[in-house]
Amino acid sequence: MTAVRHRPESEALLTPSEVATLFRVDPKTVTRWAKAGKLTSIRTLGGHRRYRETEVRSLLDGHTAPIET
């Protein structure tokens, strides 16, 4: 029997604009961070990126802060 990991339904996801507002950068910068692997993104069924709020808050608190590219 294999274990299947499911994302908790209560986990908050943020849009690129919301993340950009928190970091005070352009939303395109957030997308570049995701493409560079500095921030984990989740794709919606429509192909839009979403970011885990817990990971974003952790980065804001100084735990491995992303560097603008």
Side-chain angles (χ1 to χ4, degrees):
M1 185 157 100
T2 59
V4 177
R5 282 197 240 166
H6 293 284
R7 182 177 64 82
E9 295 304 319
S10 62
E11 184 176 15
L13 298 176
L14 303 174
T15 65
S17 294
E18 292 170 331
V19 176
T21 299
L22 291 170
F23 281 101
R24 297 182 180 170
V25 298
D26 190 85
K28 293 285 186 187
T29 300
V30 176
T31 300
R32 283 195 299 271
W33 289 343
K35 287 182 180 178
K38 298 175 184 177
L39 187 61
T40 306
S41 67
I42 298 169
R43 294 291 187 129
T44 65
L45 293 176
H48 300 282
R49 292 182 191 269
R50 296 293 181 263
Y51 304 92
R52 288 184 180 93
E53 184 177 16
T54 54
E55 181 181 2
V56 172
R57 297 284 179 195
S58 177
L59 290 172
L60 280 171
D61 291 340
H63 306 281
T64 66
I67 299 169
E68 186 169 348
T69 57

